[in-house]
Amino acid sequence: TQLLEQSPQFLSIQEGENLTVYCNSSSVFSSLQWYRQEPGEGPVLLVTVVTGGEVKKLKRLTFQFGDARKDSSLHITAAQPGDTGLYLCAGAPLYGNKLVFGAGTILRVKS
Amino acid sequence: DSGVTQTPKHLITATGQRVTLRCSPRSGDLSVYWYQQSLDQGLQFLIHYYNGEERAKGNILERFSAQQFPDLHSELNLSSLELGDSALYFCASSAGLAGSNEQFFGPGTRLTVL
């Protein structure tokens, strides 16, 4: 069974701080997706990374896929209260037909 | 707005009852997925349909069933409800057959079983 471990589970920071969320596995994924979910709403797809070593930027968010395609990170620069939410990573296995979801990182940004 | 719609938004019912959750995928998407999300279990994959056919099953209880209709909308039926079935139920859709494609989630149905 392929697993994706996310860390930290919970992060509470002040507005303006930087943070990094990690998504790790011992398995290789063909692609990895990051979602953000607000309370009571559905997850919203932020980005998909496909190539080992790939870096994608979305405003203040930087996503990186590990060279071996086993891990990924999400870095937020100068966090804002609007960044508050649950961040989920989801990996597409090389063999298999289901996305593998991490348990998520709850981010709280205080103003 | 992901383009995926789910109804109802909220559902409150009693133990032992049966409910039906409805999902309409994004225009053009042939795959529909159902997920259950609870505080202690995270996001759990239930079932995947592609163009009307079941493609993959996850942690779906025998009391639960789903189907996808010719117009591609899907319904998740939950029967003999128990307190532990209280959760958020999400539908997601994607364009292709592979369950590992990018998935777009609906707003969810919050089910409360009393």
Side-chain angles (χ1 to χ4, degrees):
Chain A
T1 302
Q2 292 178 292
L3 295 174
L4 270 173
E5 294 184 357
Q6 277 190 248
S7 61
Q9 288 183 318
F10 181 76
L11 200 51
S12 181
I13 61 172
Q14 289 295 134
E15 182 176 2
E17 293 184 8
N18 302 331
L19 67 115
T20 302
V21 176
Y22 300 93
C23 183
N24 296 302
S25 177
S26 58
S27 304
V28 177
F29 292 96
S30 61
S31 67
L32 197 136
Q33 300 162 24
W34 284 93
Y35 293 82
R36 186 168 78 95
Q37 183 181 14
E38 297 190 26
E41 301 295 327
V44 175
L45 180 64
L46 296 175
V47 77
T48 299
V49 285
V50 179
T51 307
E54 182 177 4
V55 176
K56 281 192 174 179
K57 292 193 175 184
L58 188 65
K59 297 183 181 178
R60 295 175 292 99
L61 278 61
T62 302
F63 304 85
Q64 185 163 9
F65 203 12
D67 291 341
R69 293 184 292 152
K70 293 182 179 181
D71 54 85
S72 181
S73 63
L74 157 60
H75 182 79
I76 300 179
T77 304
Q80 299 178 1
D83 296 325
T84 293
L86 173 68
Y87 289 82
L88 293 161
C89 63
L94 290 179
Y95 308 104
N97 204 33
K98 292 180 286 187
L99 281 179
V100 176
F101 278 87
T105 294
I106 298 173
L107 171 65
R108 180 185 171 201
V109 182
K110 296 174 284 186
S111 56
Chain B
D1 185 354
S2 67
V4 178
T5 60
Q6 287 186 250
T7 56
K9 180 73 172 172
H10 301 278
L11 199 48
I12 301 174
T13 188
T15 54
Q17 294 299 304
R18 182 180 190 273
V19 297
T20 298
L21 312 183
R22 183 188 170 104
C23 166
S24 292
R26 292 188 318 160
S27 177
D29 283 358
L30 297 178
S31 276
V32 169
Y33 313 82
W34 286 98
Y35 292 87
Q36 180 192 58
Q37 187 178 43
S38 56
L39 286 175
D40 59 344
Q41 291 287 324
L43 198 62
Q44 299 289 315
F45 167 72
L46 296 178
I47 199 163
H48 169 205
Y49 275 85
Y50 175 81
N51 203 21
E53 292 191 7
E54 181 185 305
R55 299 299 302 184
K57 268 188 173 180
N59 303 320
I60 187 166
L61 300 171
E62 286 190 7
R63 299 183 286 109
F64 295 0
S65 65
Q67 54 185 327
Q68 186 180 27
F69 295 88
D71 67 352
L72 301 177
H73 91 271
S74 178
E75 293 181 355
L76 178 67
N77 300 295
L78 315 176
S79 61
S80 302
L81 286 168
E82 302 175 0
L83 295 177
D85 297 327
S86 295
L88 275 166
Y89 290 84
F90 291 105
C91 163
S93 74
S94 70
L97 171 61
S100 54
N101 287 341
E102 290 181 338
Q103 295 180 19
F104 297 87
F105 284 78
T109 293
R110 180 176 292 280
L111 174 65
T112 302
V113 182
L114 301 175

